[in-house]
Amino acid sequence: MSELEGEKAVRRSGSLKAPFVAVASVAVLAAVTAAGFLAGSSSVSWGDLVAWATGGDVSAAAKSILVNVRLPRVLAALLAGGALAVAGAIIQAVLDNPLASPNIIGINSGAGLFVLVAASVFPQVLWLPPLAAFLGALVTALVIFGISLGANTSRLTVVLAGIAITTVFGAGMNTILIVNPDAYIGSSTFLVGGLAGVLMDDLLWPAVYIAAGLAAALFAAGKLNIMALGDDTAHALGMNVGACRLAMLGLAAVLAGAAVSFAGLLGFAGLIIPHLVRFFVGHDNRMVLPLSAVAGAAFVVVCDLLARVLFVPYEVPVGILMAFLGGPFFIYLILKNRRGSLE
């Protein structure tokens, strides 16, 4: 059996709905993105948005809001949502674990710790936080990968190990902020995840990492399909399973680390979105990964929009709202898989 035939073997009937789901997802993404530009503590009219987008005349006040506030914030939400959702889909596939996601197994916390260390030691080096976040995410991913290879290691053990790592790294971040309170401006928002105050300069390097990571992940999606057939079959098809797993975890670390570098410790986008996408289109990763990017971007834009408007004139960090949504979903997954499937 060829590698191509092996990849075809993992297609599901749900993939027949993929074109319709893709069109709907893109339409929803376009709608919520427009809403992200329009709504907020200072509203912008649809006419102003259209005029600004098409190069027409727009008032100075509306242009200032759109360029300096809404544009970086919406772009940040799109980048973070797409990156975290795809990272979560990759991690769940590589570890064969429905409970895995960047925040659950500690990858976000590892990235956050390295960002704070970099900000403390080299506060003026603007390109360093995304690189530090990637290194922290990669180190954590490698630790989790090593744990997952242990003899008789269950899926639940991997999740519990990730929670322990998250706790340790969280203590490290809090220690840095106690010793050096000025290590990171807006650190309280960073620790829960938030997009307020994001500037275009903050997105330059992360956007490069995320674009490269997404492109590589989509190109390698077929490899995840081969791994889904099982290690023995994948080996028989000529795949180096260990090297492929490490490479895919590296891509997940790039994506999650880049998102953490500007959005903070956003949680649960990487857990919720891949499951919802698989519900609609099945398990073919060639469809799951791109649709996760689209749906994840829309999800974070919507959550950020709600965080802005639900408590006007106050605003809560989007990470808090996502935690309210993600916590119950995580409990649901635990209960759904309680009958031995986590062992």
Side-chain angles (χ1 to χ4, degrees):
M1 181 167 56
S2 68
E3 187 169 298
L4 178 59
E5 291 172 335
E7 184 178 332
K8 289 180 180 179
V10 300
R11 295 179 182 177
R12 302 292 189 267
S13 60
S15 63
L16 297 175
K17 299 182 289 186
F20 304 100
V21 175
V23 171
S25 298
V26 172
V28 170
L29 177 61
V32 300
T33 299
F37 278 102
L38 296 173
S41 57
S42 299
S43 298
V44 176
S45 70
W46 175 255
D48 284 335
L49 177 60
V50 173
W52 172 70
T54 57
D57 293 332
V58 61
S59 68
K63 184 176 181 179
S64 177
I65 293 173
L66 289 169
V67 172
N68 299 318
V69 179
R70 301 288 163 75
L71 178 60
R73 187 156 186 170
V74 171
L75 283 178
L78 293 172
L79 289 169
L84 290 172
V86 172
I90 291 172
I91 292 168
Q92 288 167 12
V94 168
L95 299 181
D96 189 26
N97 192 331
L99 300 181
S101 71
N103 66 301
I104 296 297
I105 65 173
I107 289 178
N108 280 8
S109 295
L113 177 61
F114 275 57
V115 166
L116 291 184
V117 171
S120 298
V121 180
F122 304 104
Q124 303 302 322
V125 184
L126 298 180
W127 54 265
L128 188 57
L131 178 59
F134 161 66
L135 292 175
L138 181 61
V139 168
T140 309
L142 292 176
V143 171
I144 292 297
F145 179 68
I147 293 172
S148 72
L149 295 177
N152 300 319
T153 299
S154 70
R155 296 173 178 178
L156 186 58
T157 300
V158 173
V159 172
L160 293 175
I163 293 173
I165 291 172
T166 298
T167 302
V168 173
F169 285 168
M173 286 185 280
N174 285 316
T175 299
I176 291 173
L177 294 174
I178 290 173
V179 175
N180 184 10
D182 298 325
Y184 198 91
I185 298 174
S187 58
S188 59
T189 299
F190 178 84
L191 293 177
V192 297
L195 303 174
V198 173
L199 304 175
M200 291 300 292
D201 288 344
D202 300 326
L203 301 178
L204 178 59
W205 285 106
V208 172
Y209 293 139
I210 289 172
L214 289 177
L218 297 180
F219 180 77
K223 301 296 183 182
L224 291 176
N225 285 348
I226 298 297
M227 283 193 289
L229 298 172
D231 288 0
D232 292 339
T233 302
H235 279 302
L237 294 172
M239 173 182 287
N240 186 332
V241 177
C244 189
R245 281 203 173 100
L246 285 175
M248 295 306 294
L249 281 176
L251 287 178
V254 170
L255 294 168
V260 167
S261 70
F262 64 85
L265 306 185
L266 287 181
F268 295 108
L271 178 69
I272 297 173
I273 298 303
H275 282 283
L276 294 180
V277 170
R278 292 190 194 100
F279 176 80
F280 286 105
V281 303
H283 293 260
D284 186 347
N285 286 290
R286 295 171 304 168
M287 294 305 302
V288 170
L289 294 190
L291 288 178
S292 291
V294 174
F299 175 71
V300 176
V301 170
V302 169
C303 288
D304 184 55
L305 180 60
L306 292 175
R308 279 187 266 160
V309 302
L310 284 180
F311 305 100
V312 173
Y314 304 102
E315 178 180 321
V316 298
V318 63
I320 293 177
L321 183 59
M322 292 172 66
F324 277 120
L325 297 174
F329 189 82
F330 185 57
I331 294 173
Y332 160 75
L333 289 178
I334 294 175
L335 296 177
K336 178 183 176 183
N337 292 277
R338 69 187 183 277
R339 294 185 179 180
S341 61
L342 291 179
E343 299 302 321

